[in-house]
Amino acid sequence: MEYLLIFITAIFVNNIVFSQFLGICPFLGVSKKISTALGMGAAVTFVLTLATVVTYLIQIYVLNTNGLEYLQTLVFILVIAALVQMVEIVLKKVSPPLYQALGIFLPLITTNCAVLGVAILVIQKDFSLIQSIVYAISTAIGFAVALVVFAGIREQMELVNIPKGMRGISIVLITAGLISLAFMGFSGVDGGLKVLFGIE
C-alpha cells in the first residue's frame, strides 16, 4: 500500500510540473501536439527511471561511503548527461525506428530539470531503491499526463477565436495556471489514503 500511495501522490498530488514546477521548459515547448507530447512523455519515463536508479546507487555506494555528498549535484548532472548520450547511441544501433520516433526528445531530456530534481528528491526523502524506482516511474507518468492534457487543450485552442491581446504565450501561461489549480483539487488525497490504509 505504501507503493500505491507513492504512485498516486507523485502523479496527482505532487505532480512534478504543477506542484513542484520542474520540467517547465519541455512542458511549454513540446506541448503543441499530442503526438509529440506522448513521445516526450515516453522518453522522459525511460530516462528518468534509469537515471534515478544509477544516481541512487552512486549516492549510496560512492558519494556517501567516501564522504563526497557535497558533489551530489555536479555528479548527478554529469551522470544524467552521460546516460542520455549512451541511451541515444544504443537506441541508434539497436532500434533505429524507436530512435527516429524519439528524434529530438532524447537530447532535450538532458536539460530537463525534472530528471535531476527526482534524482535529488529520492535521496532527500530517504527512499529505498524500490521506493525510488516507484517514485521515478510515477513522477514520469505524472509529467506525461500533464504534457498530454496540456497538449490536448492547446490543440483545441487552435480552433478557438482567442482575443488578439491574449494570443501566443499569454493564453498558454493562463491555461497552464488553470490546469495547475485543477490539480490542487487532489491535495487532500494523500492524507485520505494514509488514513484509509493506516499508513503513518
Side-chain angles (χ1 to χ4, degrees):
M1 288 305 165
E2 185 183 351
Y3 299 122
L4 179 65
L5 183 65
I6 291 171
F7 187 78
I8 292 170
T9 303
I11 294 175
F12 299 109
V13 182
N14 294 325
N15 187 284
I16 197 83
V17 177
F18 297 130
S19 294
Q20 302 180 51
F21 307 109
L22 294 172
I24 298 293
C25 292
F27 174 72
L28 294 175
V30 193
S31 60
K32 290 181 181 175
K33 292 189 177 180
I34 292 177
S35 57
T36 55
L38 284 169
M40 184 65 167
V44 165
T45 303
F46 179 69
V47 172
L48 196 139
T49 306
L50 186 64
T52 301
V53 171
V54 173
T55 53
Y56 180 88
L57 294 173
I58 288 172
Q59 177 74 36
I60 300 300
Y61 296 108
V62 177
L63 299 181
N64 288 358
T65 53
N66 296 306
L68 300 170
E69 294 91 344
Y70 60 92
L71 290 174
Q72 182 191 63
T73 305
L74 180 65
V75 170
F76 282 15
I77 289 170
L78 292 173
V79 166
I80 290 165
L83 271 175
V84 171
Q85 289 302 311
M86 283 195 304
V87 167
E88 199 170 351
I89 291 164
V90 169
L91 277 180
K92 200 172 185 178
K93 295 279 185 192
V94 175
S95 179
L98 183 58
Y99 175 77
Q100 290 293 330
L102 292 176
I104 191 69
F105 302 133
L106 273 173
L108 275 175
I109 295 167
T110 310
T111 59
N112 188 345
C113 58
V115 179
L116 177 63
V118 170
I120 291 172
L121 279 170
V122 295
I123 304 299
Q124 288 177 348
K125 291 174 183 280
D126 203 25
F127 281 162
S128 67
L129 182 59
I130 304 296
Q131 287 173 323
S132 299
I133 293 167
V134 171
Y135 183 75
I137 292 169
S138 51
T139 301
I141 292 169
F143 178 82
V145 165
L147 209 58
V148 170
V149 166
F150 194 53
I153 292 172
R154 284 184 76 174
E155 280 190 4
Q156 288 297 314
M157 283 195 300
E158 296 292 324
L159 309 172
V160 177
N161 187 18
I162 297 165
K164 194 174 180 181
M166 296 291 289
R167 289 178 193 161
I169 196 69
S170 304
I171 194 69
V172 169
L173 291 174
I174 290 169
T175 306
L178 290 171
I179 298 171
S180 181
L181 284 171
F183 267 73
M184 281 180 67
F186 294 112
S187 59
V189 171
D190 59 335
L193 286 172
K194 282 180 183 176
V195 171
L196 184 64
F197 296 120
I199 299 170
E200 290 298 324

